[in-house]
Amino acid sequence: MLSERQRLEALYSIAAALRRQDASAPAVLQTAVSLTASLLGIHHGGVVTFHKDDKTNDIFVLGENAGQPDTRRQVWYRLIAHGLVGYAHHARRTIVVRDISTDPRWPRLPETPFIPTQGSAVGVPLEKNGHMYGVLALIHPEVDFFDAGTVEMLEAIGDILSANIGNAIAFNTTPKDENRYQWLFEDAVVPIIITDLDGYIVDVNRKACEFLRYKRQDLLQLPITAIHRMGTGPVGVNRFESLQMGKEVEFKTAAWPSEGADIPVIVRARRLFFNDHDVIAWVEQDVSAQMELDQLRQDLAAMVYHDLRGPLHTIYGSLSTLSRLLASSGQKTILDLLDVGVRSTRQLSRMVESLLDIQRLEEGKAVLDPKPTSMHSLLANAAQLIQPMALESNQRLLFNLDGELPFVTVDADMILRVITNLLENAVKYTPMGGAIKLGAEAVEGSVRISVEDSGPGIPKHMQRQIFDKFSRVKYRDAPKGVGLGLAFCRLAVEAHGGQIWVESEPGQGSVFHFTLPATRQLETASA
């Protein structure tokens, strides 16, 4: 097998060879598959490309000119329809067949001199920006030939190949006549800057000159870093290096016009083969208006927080006081109306609080007050709040709690609301006379809390979506709501370093789980 240094050298040599290749997708594919196979000592393999409708476009097979091209392609169509290529294409992930003689993902093939009857195989999807170009498939007569290091290298080659195919297609569909070039580039409604691979400006469109307040000749040969900062990616990867490898990059920064204030922008850049030159195209999107809208949203949230929360608390307090004063009056109708008002005001207050908390959590500005907290105490408080709702629906609230649970360092009010939200949902979706189970256990340095209902269940395709804002499971006679509770739960749990998920089968109820990191101190049920 290849060493790490050999793999890196191979990646560089393949990338360099593809850069020298003519700008046509077939030439890029044949070059890539030949170099990759030669590097690994492989004699069987190829690349299958697909149209946008997922129909097969073309097949580039190793050694196809060695005779029997029709038979070769018939075998490859079997791999597309019933085997490795089809699996990698539809799963959009790398598929490794460790032993082609036993793995069901390898179909029965006629005996031929160009496909071994034993060994191993790998299928690597060629995908970029959501577009599936094809699958690179290689076969070796040795079982378990494709180890983790080899697969990692092949996936890196797949990334380079995908970028080069995309560039080749873009180049071959680029109009050559001057009028269409004028329309696509010079008259584009967004600022576009073209640089060489070292980042020096070689062309700009009219919009870029207006946006940056420069004359065209003053921009030429300036480094792109004179226009805005480049920075590094989230894991310290140099963006220039990513672009030179054919990857597309996107980042937020500020553009520096020749005069006036800095302009906040989102920059999208990618490498292209354009007008017989290898270049990088930079599109500058002005996000000043978007930032103004974000500020408006923050101001609106502040207004909601200060101007609605206060009056709501006042109304709630007044109604609660009236209920207590009239409790012995015997006027049942008035007491029932006051009870409806108290519940509705409490619901509206929770909705306002959830909206504000969701916004803060999304912005990373949640005001948490983490303190070592008894998990038993939180669960007992939540159960006490929910018990009256469960009794009204003739539901049983059951408990399955470990006798000893680690303390958790959390904002107790926020986590109490998470548990309460999950229990309220369980009450809503559990039928009359049903049971709701509240559980907690220590699991590998964390505490896992579970809330189980006996409701209608949640379809598989909805089990992640329900944790998004304003998303709800829709079915006939479903309880009403606006879909904020679970979104708040997800953000609050994640802000504490935990995870939340649901396990459910339609018709068999649902179990919501979430975890919280534990502290060292243990508590007992009597604590």
Side-chain angles (χ1 to χ4, degrees):
M1 297 301 175
L2 299 177
S3 66
E4 182 66 22
R5 179 177 178 179
Q6 288 174 316
R7 293 191 187 109
L8 291 174
E9 290 175 348
L11 286 174
Y12 175 80
S13 64
I14 289 174
L18 292 178
R19 283 201 301 272
R20 292 191 298 268
Q21 189 53 261
D22 65 38
S24 68
V28 167
L29 291 165
Q30 288 287 21
T31 299
V33 72
S34 298
L35 288 173
T36 304
S38 175
L39 171 72
L40 296 174
I42 290 175
H43 304 290
H44 311 287
V47 175
V48 179
T49 60
F50 297 95
H51 292 292
K52 288 184 178 180
D53 59 2
D54 286 343
K55 292 182 180 178
T56 303
N57 178 26
D58 207 345
I59 306 173
F60 301 87
V61 182
L62 278 171
E64 190 170 46
N65 295 327
Q68 296 180 301
D70 292 338
T71 306
R72 288 177 184 272
R73 290 189 169 231
Q74 289 173 11
V75 170
W76 276 84
Y77 281 122
R78 291 283 301 276
L79 292 174
I80 297 167
H82 307 292
L84 173 68
V85 175
Y87 280 105
H89 174 221
H90 293 293
R92 292 183 176 239
R93 62 181 177 86
T94 299
I95 301 293
V96 178
V97 175
R98 299 176 59 190
D99 187 345
I100 63 176
S101 64
T102 59
D103 197 302
R105 292 170 296 183
W106 189 264
R108 288 179 174 268
L109 300 175
E111 289 193 13
T112 66
F114 43 83
I115 294 287
T117 56
Q118 61 183 8
S120 53
V122 64
V124 179
L126 306 178
E127 183 181 16
K128 186 172 184 288
N129 297 331
H131 183 77
M132 187 73 172
Y133 293 111
V135 173
L136 168 65
L138 299 171
I139 307 105
H140 193 276
E142 180 183 326
V143 173
D144 266 340
F145 175 81
F146 298 98
D147 60 9
T150 303
V151 170
E152 183 179 355
M153 184 190 71
L154 289 173
E155 289 177 336
I157 292 172
D159 289 339
I160 296 171
L161 184 52
S162 300
N164 277 272
I165 296 172
N167 292 344
I169 292 172
F171 175 77
N172 286 307
T173 56
T174 298
K176 299 294 193 295
D177 61 279
E178 187 64 26
N179 290 334
R180 295 192 67 187
Y181 169 80
Q182 185 82 6
W183 176 67
L184 285 172
F185 176 69
E186 185 61 28
D187 293 337
V189 296
V190 293
I192 303 175
I193 301 171
I194 305 294
T195 73
D196 60 21
L197 295 186
D198 294 321
Y200 287 90
I201 298 173
V202 296
D203 204 356
V204 292
N205 69 349
R206 183 183 299 115
K207 192 68 176 179
C209 295
E210 295 173 359
F211 178 66
L212 296 169
R213 305 184 186 100
Y214 275 94
K215 293 180 180 179
R216 183 177 182 276
Q217 60 267 26
D218 294 334
L219 283 169
L220 298 182
Q221 294 308 312
L222 281 179
I224 192 66
T225 50
I227 304 303
H228 51 63
R229 290 188 184 91
M230 284 294 295
T232 56
V235 292
V237 176
N238 184 283
R239 289 197 170 103
F240 263 121
E241 292 177 359
S242 298
L243 286 165
Q244 289 164 355
M245 291 176 63
K247 296 181 180 179
E248 185 170 333
V249 302
E250 177 180 323
F251 56 96
K252 290 183 179 180
T253 186
W256 302 318
S258 64
E259 56 185 38
D262 295 353
I263 305 171
V265 292
I266 292 178
V267 179
R268 296 179 178 87
R270 69 176 185 135
R271 182 175 170 178
L272 296 172
F273 195 80
F274 192 66
N275 277 4
D276 297 324
H277 293 286
D278 220 354
V279 298
I280 299 173
W282 309 76
V283 177
E284 314 274 328
Q285 180 186 350
D286 184 353
V287 291
S288 302
Q290 179 182 331
M291 293 185 67
E292 289 176 3
L293 286 174
D294 290 342
Q295 185 61 50
L296 180 62
R297 184 182 67 174
Q298 293 175 8
D299 293 343
L300 178 62
M303 182 273 291
V304 170
Y305 185 79
H306 293 293
D307 296 349
L308 286 184
R309 196 175 69 155
L312 278 173
H313 284 179
T314 301
I315 295 170
Y316 175 75
S318 299
L319 293 175
S320 299
T321 302
L322 281 173
S323 295
R324 289 195 301 272
L325 292 174
L326 298 174
S328 59
S329 67
Q331 301 183 52
K332 186 175 183 304
T333 301
I334 294 176
L335 291 172
D336 289 344
L337 288 172
L338 286 171
D339 184 54
V340 170
V342 168
R343 290 190 183 187
S344 298
T345 307
R346 186 190 303 141
Q347 182 181 7
L348 187 56
S349 295
R350 280 205 305 269
M351 190 181 302
V352 170
E353 295 288 348
S354 294
L355 277 168
L356 293 168
D357 285 336
I358 286 172
Q359 181 187 347
R360 290 181 187 140
L361 288 164
E362 285 179 330
E363 294 175 350
K365 298 177 181 177
V367 181
L368 299 176
D369 182 22
K371 294 178 181 177
T373 304
S374 162
M375 200 68 242
H376 278 292
S377 176
L378 282 177
L379 295 169
N381 290 342
Q384 186 177 7
L385 290 171
I386 296 302
Q387 189 68 44
M389 292 177 60
L391 290 175
E392 286 183 7
S393 300
N394 193 27
Q395 296 165 342
R396 292 171 297 150
L397 189 57
L398 308 177
F399 300 91
N400 183 20
L401 311 178
D402 277 2
E404 290 188 346
L405 290 173
F407 272 64
V408 286
T409 302
V410 296
D411 183 314
D413 180 65
M414 188 169 283
I415 297 303
L416 177 61
R417 285 173 57 199
V418 170
I419 303 169
T420 304
N421 280 347
L422 295 177
L423 287 171
E424 284 183 344
N425 281 349
V427 170
K428 287 181 186 177
Y429 287 94
T430 296
M432 294 284 288
I436 298 160
K437 298 178 183 178
L438 176 61
E441 59 181 332
V443 181
E444 297 180 357
S446 63
V447 179
R448 182 169 66 193
I449 296 89
S450 305
V451 176
E452 180 178 353
D453 64 50
S454 49
I458 301 169
K460 291 288 185 185
H461 71 276
M462 288 289 297
Q463 290 182 12
R464 290 187 179 181
Q465 184 180 334
I466 56 173
F467 293 101
D468 296 334
K469 284 187 298 185
F470 309 115
S471 178
R472 298 177 60 250
V473 179
K474 297 178 182 178
Y475 62 89
R476 188 175 179 180
D477 299 326
K480 302 297 181 183
V482 293
L484 291 174
L486 290 178
F488 164 75
C489 291
R490 175 180 64 83
L491 291 166
V493 168
E494 290 176 354
H496 285 83
Q499 293 180 314
I500 187 168
W501 70 97
V502 63
E503 297 173 355
S504 181
E505 292 291 339
Q508 299 182 27
S510 305
V511 186
F512 284 84
H513 304 278
F514 73 91
T515 60
L516 295 170
T519 56
R520 293 183 180 179
Q521 185 179 5
L522 290 178
E523 54 171 319
T524 63
S526 60

